[in-house]
Amino acid sequence: GAGVSQSPSNKVTEKGKDVELRCDPISGHTALYWYRQSLGQGLEFLIYFQGNSAPDKSGLPSDRFSAERTGGSVSTLTIQRTQQEDSAVYLCASSFRRTGDTDTQYFGPGTRLTVL
Amino acid sequence: DQQVKQNSPSLSVQEGRISILNCDYTNSMFDYFLWYKKYPAEGPTFLISISSIKDKNEDGRFTVFLNKSAKHLSLHIVPSQPGDSAVYFCAASASNQGGKLIFGQGTELSVKP
């Protein structure tokens, strides 16, 4: 079946503009995660959605970052008033995770964001 | 505070030999560990995982070993193939902390023909 998809694959924006990144998880997966990888860095957790529970936003670096997950499926990560340090690859992952369980997360190809 | 560490940024191995990638962690609440492989301009691809109730898991050429007392895990690839050349990330999660993955910095493996 189809894997996790993300759009756009590349986004170049000017400092101060808002951007929206989209993630379509694997059908039937209940959990959805956002991570980012800055140049030369490892992957950093941003936010996590599990079913209808309140999202875990503990990894969001500032209040300029927000995310939604509509209808338990598609998710949008929004970055307001982008800064150059926001430049990174933003990765989405999904899994079958049930609360209190552990499982394997499957990643999309990522969106490369460049803030000029 | 880096909870998951991969101390070797790179590793070079001859084709056919064994590749050993290492990972250390500090958080004793981690109970699930994974290895991902990543090519440039692609998302990480899941390779193999291990639960904290086990000390070894094998899948074809890939074996992951977990030493809980030392808070150390390793990925063995044998025999190594040129197509294995990529960046390998170790990741850990805690089931009581939402399952979010904490990643190491990655090790770039180069397998030479």
Side-chain angles (χ1 to χ4, degrees), chain A residues 26-48:
Chain A
I26 293 172
S27 178
H29 277 190
T30 57
L32 186 148
Y33 303 80
W34 283 97
Y35 297 85
R36 74 174 176 182
Q37 185 178 21
S38 303
L39 187 64
Q41 302 294 313
L43 284 83
E44 171 192 16
F45 166 77
L46 296 177
I47 187 170
Y48 153 61

Side-chain angles (χ1 to χ4, degrees), chain A residues 99-116:
Chain A
T99 302
D101 201 356
T102 54
D103 65 354
T104 299
Q105 295 176 27
Y106 296 90
F107 283 81
T111 294
R112 180 175 295 278
L113 174 66
T114 303
V115 182
L116 302 177

Side-chain angles (χ1 to χ4, degrees), chain B residues 94-110:
Chain B
S95 55
N96 66 352
Q97 294 177 6
K100 63 190 178 191
L101 294 177
I102 307 299
F103 283 86
Q105 298 295 91
T107 297
E108 184 170 10
L109 174 65
S110 175

Side-chain angles (χ1 to χ4, degrees), chain A residues 5-68:
Chain A
S5 61
Q6 293 185 245
S7 61
S9 55
N10 280 284
K11 176 72 176 178
V12 180
T13 190
E14 294 180 348
K15 178 180 171 182
K17 295 287 178 75
D18 298 352
V19 295
E20 282 190 356
L21 312 179
R22 177 188 168 104
C23 171
D24 284 90
I26 293 172
S27 178
H29 277 190
T30 57
L32 186 148
Y33 303 80
W34 283 97
Y35 297 85
R36 74 174 176 182
Q37 185 178 21
S38 303
L39 187 64
Q41 302 294 313
L43 284 83
E44 171 192 16
F45 166 77
L46 296 177
I47 187 170
Y48 153 61
F49 297 89
Q50 171 70 54
N52 295 320
S53 302
D56 176 353
K57 304 179 183 179
S58 60
L60 295 179
S62 80
D63 58 7
R64 295 185 296 105
F65 288 71
S66 63
E68 289 185 340

